[in-house]
mmCIF file of all heavy atoms in Angstrom:
data_model
loop_
_atom_site.group_PDB
_atom_site.id
_atom_site.type_symbol
_atom_site.label_atom_id
_atom_site.label_comp_id
_atom_site.label_asym_id
_atom_site.label_seq_id
_atom_site.Cartn_x
_atom_site.Cartn_y
_atom_site.Cartn_z
ATOM 1 N N ILE A 319 67.485 95.108 105.982
ATOM 2 C CA ILE A 319 67.239 93.755 106.523
ATOM 3 C C ILE A 319 67.117 92.772 105.354
ATOM 4 O O ILE A 319 67.733 91.703 105.337
ATOM 5 C CB ILE A 319 65.964 93.746 107.410
ATOM 6 C CG1 ILE A 319 66.211 94.593 108.669
ATOM 7 C CG2 ILE A 319 65.547 92.329 107.777
ATOM 8 C CD1 ILE A 319 64.958 94.907 109.484
ATOM 9 N N THR A 320 66.348 93.163 104.347
ATOM 10 C CA THR A 320 66.208 92.297 103.156
ATOM 11 C C THR A 320 67.551 92.131 102.470
ATOM 12 O O THR A 320 67.933 91.022 102.058
ATOM 13 C CB THR A 320 65.207 92.942 102.155
ATOM 14 O OG1 THR A 320 64.035 93.280 102.859
ATOM 15 C CG2 THR A 320 64.893 92.022 100.996
ATOM 16 N N ALA A 321 68.286 93.225 102.351
ATOM 17 C CA ALA A 321 69.570 93.174 101.637
ATOM 18 C C ALA A 321 70.548 92.252 102.357
ATOM 19 O O ALA A 321 71.277 91.482 101.721
ATOM 20 C CB ALA A 321 70.160 94.575 101.516
ATOM 21 N N TYR A 322 70.554 92.316 103.700
ATOM 22 C CA TYR A 322 71.485 91.452 104.443
ATOM 23 C C TYR A 322 71.188 89.982 104.141
ATOM 24 O O TYR A 322 72.091 89.198 103.865
ATOM 25 C CB TYR A 322 71.398 91.724 105.956
ATOM 26 C CG TYR A 322 72.432 90.939 106.724
ATOM 27 C CD1 TYR A 322 73.740 91.392 106.804
ATOM 28 C CD2 TYR A 322 72.126 89.720 107.311
ATOM 29 C CE1 TYR A 322 74.725 90.655 107.460
ATOM 30 C CE2 TYR A 322 73.097 88.971 107.977
ATOM 31 C CZ TYR A 322 74.394 89.449 108.049
ATOM 32 O OH TYR A 322 75.356 88.710 108.696
ATOM 33 N N ALA A 323 69.888 89.644 104.157
ATOM 34 C CA ALA A 323 69.518 88.242 103.910
ATOM 35 C C ALA A 323 69.881 87.835 102.481
ATOM 36 O O ALA A 323 70.378 86.729 102.244
ATOM 37 C CB ALA A 323 68.029 88.061 104.146
ATOM 38 N N GLU A 324 69.639 88.746 101.555
ATOM 39 C CA GLU A 324 69.815 88.386 100.143
ATOM 40 C C GLU A 324 71.284 88.358 99.727
ATOM 41 O O GLU A 324 71.714 87.515 98.968
ATOM 42 C CB GLU A 324 69.078 89.430 99.295
ATOM 43 C CG GLU A 324 68.469 88.839 98.049
ATOM 44 C CD GLU A 324 67.557 89.845 97.376
ATOM 45 O OE1 GLU A 324 66.397 89.982 97.828
ATOM 46 O OE2 GLU A 324 68.029 90.486 96.440
ATOM 47 N N ARG A 325 72.056 89.295 100.231
ATOM 48 C CA ARG A 325 73.430 89.434 99.725
ATOM 49 C C ARG A 325 74.475 88.856 100.667
ATOM 50 O O ARG A 325 75.591 88.551 100.241
ATOM 51 C CB ARG A 325 73.733 90.909 99.448
ATOM 52 C CG ARG A 325 72.759 91.445 98.380
ATOM 53 C CD ARG A 325 73.273 92.626 97.663
ATOM 54 N NE ARG A 325 74.556 92.460 97.043
ATOM 55 C CZ ARG A 325 74.766 91.986 95.817
ATOM 56 N NH1 ARG A 325 73.756 91.573 95.077
ATOM 57 N NH2 ARG A 325 75.988 91.910 95.325
ATOM 58 N N THR A 326 74.140 88.741 101.964
ATOM 59 C CA THR A 326 75.156 88.277 102.903
ATOM 60 C C THR A 326 74.661 87.145 103.788
ATOM 61 O O THR A 326 75.282 86.833 104.797
ATOM 62 C CB THR A 326 75.655 89.452 103.785
ATOM 63 O OG1 THR A 326 74.621 90.414 103.914
ATOM 64 C CG2 THR A 326 76.851 90.117 103.214
ATOM 65 N N GLY A 327 73.573 86.542 103.408
ATOM 66 C CA GLY A 327 72.999 85.486 104.250
ATOM 67 C C GLY A 327 73.903 84.266 104.316
ATOM 68 O O GLY A 327 74.915 84.171 103.616
ATOM 69 N N ASN A 328 73.530 83.331 105.184
ATOM 70 C CA ASN A 328 74.308 82.091 105.320
ATOM 71 C C ASN A 328 73.818 81.050 104.331
ATOM 72 O O ASN A 328 72.635 80.992 104.038
ATOM 73 C CB ASN A 328 74.138 81.521 106.729
ATOM 74 C CG ASN A 328 74.665 82.492 107.762
ATOM 75 O OD1 ASN A 328 75.509 83.339 107.442
ATOM 76 N ND2 ASN A 328 74.155 82.393 108.968
ATOM 77 N N LYS A 329 74.765 80.225 103.844
ATOM 78 C CA LYS A 329 74.397 79.169 102.896
ATOM 79 C C LYS A 329 75.068 77.881 103.320
ATOM 80 O O LYS A 329 76.248 77.893 103.667
ATOM 81 C CB LYS A 329 74.939 79.535 101.512
ATOM 82 C CG LYS A 329 73.894 80.012 100.532
ATOM 83 C CD LYS A 329 74.465 79.972 99.143
ATOM 84 C CE LYS A 329 74.318 81.320 98.485
ATOM 85 N NZ LYS A 329 75.147 81.494 97.333
ATOM 86 N N LYS A 330 74.342 76.767 103.241
ATOM 87 C CA LYS A 330 74.965 75.453 103.454
ATOM 88 C C LYS A 330 74.923 74.734 102.128
ATOM 89 O O LYS A 330 73.884 74.701 101.472
ATOM 90 C CB LYS A 330 74.194 74.668 104.501
ATOM 91 C CG LYS A 330 74.441 75.194 105.892
ATOM 92 C CD LYS A 330 74.733 74.106 106.887
ATOM 93 C CE LYS A 330 75.237 74.774 108.166
ATOM 94 N NZ LYS A 330 75.797 73.883 109.121
ATOM 95 N N LEU A 331 76.060 74.186 101.725
ATOM 96 C CA LEU A 331 76.111 73.459 100.456
ATOM 97 C C LEU A 331 76.407 72.009 100.811
ATOM 98 O O LEU A 331 77.510 71.718 101.271
ATOM 99 C CB LEU A 331 77.221 74.016 99.558
ATOM 100 C CG LEU A 331 77.319 75.544 99.448
ATOM 101 C CD1 LEU A 331 78.659 75.947 98.878
ATOM 102 C CD2 LEU A 331 76.184 76.071 98.581
ATOM 103 N N ASP A 332 75.439 71.127 100.657
ATOM 104 C CA ASP A 332 75.645 69.726 101.039
ATOM 105 C C ASP A 332 76.570 69.026 100.069
ATOM 106 O O ASP A 332 76.437 69.149 98.869
ATOM 107 C CB ASP A 332 74.301 68.980 101.068
ATOM 108 C CG ASP A 332 73.655 69.138 102.431
ATOM 109 O OD1 ASP A 332 74.416 69.461 103.370
ATOM 110 O OD2 ASP A 332 72.432 68.977 102.529
ATOM 111 N N SER A 333 77.538 68.284 100.621
ATOM 112 C CA SER A 333 78.316 67.382 99.767
ATOM 113 C C SER A 333 78.772 66.242 100.668
ATOM 114 O O SER A 333 79.646 66.413 101.514
ATOM 115 C CB SER A 333 79.489 68.116 99.123
ATOM 116 O OG SER A 333 80.416 68.479 100.099
ATOM 117 N N ALA A 334 78.133 65.075 100.518
ATOM 118 C CA ALA A 334 78.252 63.969 101.477
ATOM 119 C C ALA A 334 79.703 63.579 101.775
ATOM 120 O O ALA A 334 80.095 63.454 102.919
ATOM 121 C CB ALA A 334 77.464 62.789 100.956
ATOM 122 N N LEU A 335 80.528 63.412 100.740
ATOM 123 C CA LEU A 335 81.880 62.903 100.957
ATOM 124 C C LEU A 335 82.779 63.902 101.663
ATOM 125 O O LEU A 335 83.580 63.555 102.510
ATOM 126 C CB LEU A 335 82.510 62.505 99.619
ATOM 127 C CG LEU A 335 82.004 61.176 99.051
ATOM 128 C CD1 LEU A 335 82.631 60.903 97.702
ATOM 129 C CD2 LEU A 335 82.340 60.032 100.026
ATOM 130 N N GLN A 336 82.642 65.162 101.297
ATOM 131 C CA GLN A 336 83.529 66.190 101.847
ATOM 132 C C GLN A 336 82.961 66.835 103.101
ATOM 133 O O GLN A 336 83.490 67.829 103.566
ATOM 134 C CB GLN A 336 83.747 67.306 100.800
ATOM 135 C CG GLN A 336 84.232 66.849 99.448
ATOM 136 C CD GLN A 336 85.663 66.303 99.523
ATOM 137 O OE1 GLN A 336 86.421 66.693 100.392
ATOM 138 N NE2 GLN A 336 85.995 65.378 98.635
ATOM 139 N N GLY A 337 81.859 66.337 103.634
ATOM 140 C CA GLY A 337 81.211 66.990 104.760
ATOM 141 C C GLY A 337 80.278 68.072 104.243
ATOM 142 O O GLY A 337 79.806 68.024 103.109
ATOM 143 N N THR A 338 80.051 69.051 105.082
ATOM 144 C CA THR A 338 79.154 70.136 104.679
ATOM 145 C C THR A 338 79.991 71.363 104.359
ATOM 146 O O THR A 338 80.910 71.696 105.106
ATOM 147 C CB THR A 338 78.212 70.473 105.849
ATOM 148 O OG1 THR A 338 77.516 69.288 106.185
ATOM 149 C CG2 THR A 338 77.204 71.545 105.460
ATOM 150 N N ALA A 339 79.655 71.991 103.263
ATOM 151 C CA ALA A 339 80.320 73.262 102.956
ATOM 152 C C ALA A 339 79.362 74.375 103.328
ATOM 153 O O ALA A 339 78.164 74.300 103.060
ATOM 154 C CB ALA A 339 80.664 73.319 101.480
ATOM 155 N N ALA A 340 79.902 75.385 103.992
ATOM 156 C CA ALA A 340 79.038 76.496 104.424
ATOM 157 C C ALA A 340 79.682 77.829 104.094
ATOM 158 O O ALA A 340 80.903 77.953 104.079
ATOM 159 C CB ALA A 340 78.799 76.398 105.927
ATOM 160 N N VAL A 341 78.846 78.793 103.790
ATOM 161 C CA VAL A 341 79.319 80.178 103.623
ATOM 162 C C VAL A 341 78.563 81.022 104.637
ATOM 163 O O VAL A 341 77.332 80.997 104.686
ATOM 164 C CB VAL A 341 79.023 80.703 102.198
ATOM 165 C CG1 VAL A 341 79.528 82.136 102.059
ATOM 166 C CG2 VAL A 341 79.648 79.811 101.139
ATOM 167 N N ARG A 342 79.323 81.708 105.460
ATOM 168 C CA ARG A 342 78.713 82.607 106.451
ATOM 169 C C ARG A 342 79.453 83.933 106.408
ATOM 170 O O ARG A 342 80.519 84.031 105.804
ATOM 171 C CB ARG A 342 78.837 82.023 107.861
ATOM 172 C CG ARG A 342 78.240 80.642 108.025
ATOM 173 C CD ARG A 342 78.348 80.234 109.496
ATOM 174 N NE ARG A 342 77.924 78.863 109.715
ATOM 175 C CZ ARG A 342 78.711 77.805 109.650
ATOM 176 N NH1 ARG A 342 80.005 77.956 109.362
ATOM 177 N NH2 ARG A 342 78.250 76.597 109.878
ATOM 178 N N HIS A 343 78.887 84.925 107.051
ATOM 179 C CA HIS A 343 79.526 86.247 107.031
ATOM 180 C C HIS A 343 79.840 86.738 108.436
ATOM 181 O O HIS A 343 79.113 86.442 109.376
ATOM 182 C CB HIS A 343 78.621 87.250 106.312
ATOM 183 C CG HIS A 343 78.541 87.010 104.855
ATOM 184 N ND1 HIS A 343 77.730 86.052 104.304
ATOM 185 C CD2 HIS A 343 79.212 87.587 103.820
ATOM 186 C CE1 HIS A 343 77.886 86.038 102.990
ATOM 187 N NE2 HIS A 343 78.781 86.968 102.672
ATOM 188 N N LYS A 344 80.930 87.490 108.524
ATOM 189 C CA LYS A 344 81.324 88.085 109.816
ATOM 190 C C LYS A 344 81.414 89.595 109.660
ATOM 191 O O LYS A 344 81.782 90.091 108.589
ATOM 192 C CB LYS A 344 82.716 87.589 110.211
ATOM 193 C CG LYS A 344 82.785 86.145 110.605
ATOM 194 C CD LYS A 344 84.105 85.909 111.315
ATOM 195 C CE LYS A 344 84.289 84.435 111.611
ATOM 196 N NZ LYS A 344 85.238 84.237 112.699
ATOM 197 N N PRO A 345 81.180 90.317 110.760
ATOM 198 C CA PRO A 345 81.375 91.780 110.703
ATOM 199 C C PRO A 345 82.863 92.106 110.638
ATOM 200 O O PRO A 345 83.704 91.314 111.051
ATOM 201 C CB PRO A 345 80.773 92.247 112.033
ATOM 202 C CG PRO A 345 80.873 91.057 112.937
ATOM 203 C CD PRO A 345 80.732 89.839 112.072
ATOM 204 N N HIS A 346 83.180 93.294 110.125
ATOM 205 C CA HIS A 346 84.594 93.697 110.064
ATOM 206 C C HIS A 346 85.102 94.135 111.431
ATOM 207 O O HIS A 346 86.265 93.924 111.759
ATOM 208 C CB HIS A 346 84.763 94.865 109.082
ATOM 209 C CG HIS A 346 84.466 94.467 107.672
ATOM 210 N ND1 HIS A 346 85.340 93.749 106.897
ATOM 211 C CD2 HIS A 346 83.381 94.696 106.890
ATOM 212 C CE1 HIS A 346 84.809 93.541 105.701
ATOM 213 N NE2 HIS A 346 83.609 94.102 105.677
ATOM 214 N N GLY A 347 84.265 94.802 112.206
ATOM 215 C CA GLY A 347 84.709 95.294 113.511
ATOM 216 C C GLY A 347 84.206 96.707 113.746
ATOM 217 O O GLY A 347 83.006 96.965 113.697
#
Side-chain angles (χ1 to χ4, degrees):
I319 293 168
T320 310
Y322 185 81
E324 214 170 279
R325 299 203 55 88
T326 28
N328 298 337
K329 254 196 234 163
K330 286 227 169 191
L331 315 164
D332 273 340
S333 67
L335 284 177
Q336 306 292 333
T338 302
V341 180
R342 303 184 186 89
H343 289 80
K344 290 195 186 202
H346 294 283

